[in-house]
Amino acid sequence: MTEPDSLRHGRSLPVLDGPPVPLVLGRPASQPADERVDEYRPDAPALPRFAIWTLGCQMNRSDSEEMAGRLRGAGCDEAAQLESADLIVINTCAIREGAEQKVIGRQGQLARLKAANPGLRIVLTGCSVREPDRAGLHKRYPAVDLFLRPDEEPELIDRLGLASAQGAIGLGPGSAPSTGQTTLVGRTIVGAADHLADSRAAALAGGQIRRESATSAWLPIVYGCDKTCTYCIVPFSRGPERSRPFDEIIDEARGLAAAGYREVTLLGQNVNSYGHDLPAEARFEGIAPERSVGRRQDRRGRPDLAELLQTIDAIRTADGQPAIPRLRFVTSHPWDLSDRLIAAMADCPSVCEHLHLPVQSGDDTILHRMGRQYTIEHYLER
């Protein structure tokens, strides 16, 4: 669900931490009915209706698809609008100041909704939730019950107690400790994206991704950011870059093609840096793209975005046409716009004639102060 014209709502959900217990909805189908024991059976749990308000980039929209899929997999229904929801998940953006101010400005409205519906629970995630700021988030967002860093989003079901029909309830806001992994960027504690490839694989295996379109799909390939731009908080909100395994991405693309998707967008904070952190393999020994600017990397024998584009483009229908007719990728960084990637864009008929390559500034001095580590000359040459 995208941003509403006004916030709206309705009923009750706890926030908790602790080991999950399998959720049981009603009587198992294999268990015969017996009126003599019916009065001793526990009532089926009342599960919340949920709504997700997504702000910001395409990666946030992809993350929201996963959260919606997990909630539906737990048995929750999706509310038609925010007024009728018992659970609101706000997936925030801190890159665009206007997006963050929208959420801050709606805290009064959210508080009134909670007063009208005491059971309403509100979760805030996305780039506005950073580990060093966690202690002060309740002052900034007083209507929110639970804060999750982007790398903690796979915990949503467990942290809300939806994995347990008999789980503990009523824990106060902020009482549940974070169970997500952390690492350091410089001297700052940040969330680690190491486990997100596995959580994506599990969501796919369980059919727990609620795609917002039947024809166009997001496909994340790399999480986090290793760049050092002085004005940007993405490395501190999403952690260092972690690439998904090559074959898992291709399998997801094949599944999308089989399901009839006509357009797929490969996603990453810096999508064209894909693969540098994966182990080298003999099958990729011919790949050795060189960076001409920025930090040097040993990319020999590791898959890159060009290899992904070529392999997905090679998925063909019986008549030899690309099974996914339109293939896109965002967002790119000038450091990693390699000759291999440019050639793949030219050679693959399914790759759309579109390149998002932010320039940031037209002045070398400002680029240097921004930590961009390239010049106008390099950008124009690319």
Side-chain angles (χ1 to χ4, degrees):
M1 179 177 295
T2 55
E3 179 193 350
D5 295 331
S6 61
L7 288 183
R8 346 172 188 198
H9 299 48
R11 297 177 337 211
S12 184
L13 184 69
V15 173
L16 67 143
D17 199 27
V21 180
L23 180 64
V24 180
L25 299 179
R27 177 186 296 125
S30 61
Q31 188 171 350
D34 189 333
E35 294 181 359
R36 294 172 298 176
V37 297
D38 275 350
E39 64 178 296
Y40 301 105
R41 298 187 190 281
D43 293 335
L47 297 173
R49 296 185 299 268
F50 72 91
I52 299 180
W53 176 19
T54 304
L55 301 102
C57 67
Q58 295 93 334
M59 185 64 83
N60 269 15
R61 293 173 67 181
S62 176
D63 291 344
S64 289
E65 288 185 342
E66 285 195 42
M67 288 188 286
R70 290 188 178 96
L71 287 164
R72 293 180 68 169
C76 301
D77 291 327
E78 193 163 0
Q81 53 189 7
L82 292 180
E83 302 88 341
S84 58
D86 310 308
L87 168 65
I88 302 174
V89 179
I90 307 173
N91 197 351
T92 62
C93 171
I95 306 302
R96 300 171 177 89
E97 184 178 8
E100 195 167 24
Q101 290 302 318
K102 286 178 184 178
V103 181
I104 295 171
R106 297 287 176 86
Q107 292 302 296
Q109 290 175 290
L110 291 170
R112 289 190 290 273
L113 289 169
K114 294 181 77 173
N117 174 18
L120 173 64
R121 293 295 179 266
I122 300 173
V123 177
L124 190 127
T125 186
C127 287
S128 293
V129 182
R130 299 182 290 279
E131 191 59 33
D133 305 330
R134 191 184 285 272
L137 288 173
H138 277 291
K139 293 181 180 179
R140 193 172 179 86
Y141 304 101
V144 173
D145 299 290
L146 176 64
F147 297 94
L148 296 176
R149 298 188 312 259
D151 64 287
E152 294 177 316
E153 288 168 1
E155 301 174 20
L156 178 65
I157 301 303
D158 289 340
R159 296 287 292 276
L160 290 173
L162 296 175
S164 171
Q166 313 296 331
I169 61 174
L171 295 181
S175 62
S178 169
T179 59
Q181 301 174 1
T182 59
T183 186
L184 290 175
V185 171
R187 290 178 290 181
T188 303
I189 299 175
V190 303
D194 300 67
H195 61 290
L196 293 182
D198 288 341
S199 68
R200 178 75 178 187
L204 286 166
Q208 294 182 343
I209 296 177
R210 197 268 288 127
R211 306 274 184 187
E212 24 176 73
S213 168
T215 58
S216 179
W218 310 115
L219 201 172
I221 67 170
V222 56
Y223 302 100
C225 178
D226 282 350
K227 306 303 187 285
T228 55
C229 303
T230 55
Y231 59 89
C232 184
I233 56 86
V234 169
F236 304 99
S237 62
R238 290 187 174 267
E241 289 170 356
R242 294 294 182 266
S243 300
R244 292 180 63 196
F246 184 87
D247 292 333
E248 290 184 11
I249 296 169
I250 300 304
D251 286 345
E252 183 170 350
R254 290 185 185 279
L256 291 169
Y261 282 86
R262 308 293 293 167
E263 179 172 292
V264 170
T265 302
L266 307 182
L267 297 180
Q269 264 64 45
N270 293 299
V271 69
N272 57 344
S273 68
Y274 170 78
H276 71 85
D277 56 314
L278 294 175
E281 298 183 50
R283 58 176 169 159
F284 301 125
E285 62 184 7
I287 299 176
E290 292 287 338
R291 274 181 172 172
S292 57
V293 294
R295 290 188 297 273
R296 294 296 184 264
Q297 291 177 334
D298 180 7
R299 303 199 62 155
R300 290 170 297 179
R302 294 169 172 83
D304 61 358
L305 179 58
E307 191 75 8
L308 275 177
L309 293 178
Q310 292 164 350
T311 306
I312 295 173
D313 179 76
I315 302 171
R316 299 301 175 104
T317 59
D319 59 359
Q321 297 301 309
I324 299 173
R326 295 186 298 277
L327 187 58
R328 301 181 184 273
F329 56 93
V330 290
T331 291
S332 302
H333 195 288
W335 289 15
D336 295 305
L337 183 56
S338 67
D339 289 348
R340 276 180 50 82
L341 179 54
I342 292 170
M345 293 180 67
D347 296 341
C348 297
S350 64
V351 177
C352 295
E353 297 173 350
H354 168 257
L355 176 65
H356 184 210
L357 192 71
V359 63
Q360 299 298 346
S361 171
D363 181 89
D364 285 347
T365 301
I366 300 301
L367 282 173
H368 177 73
R369 293 178 64 186
M370 296 169 80
R372 296 294 284 176
Q373 298 192 33
Y374 58 84
T375 63
I376 294 301
E377 181 183 6
H378 171 80
Y379 186 94
L380 293 176
E381 184 276 331
R382 289 289 82 191

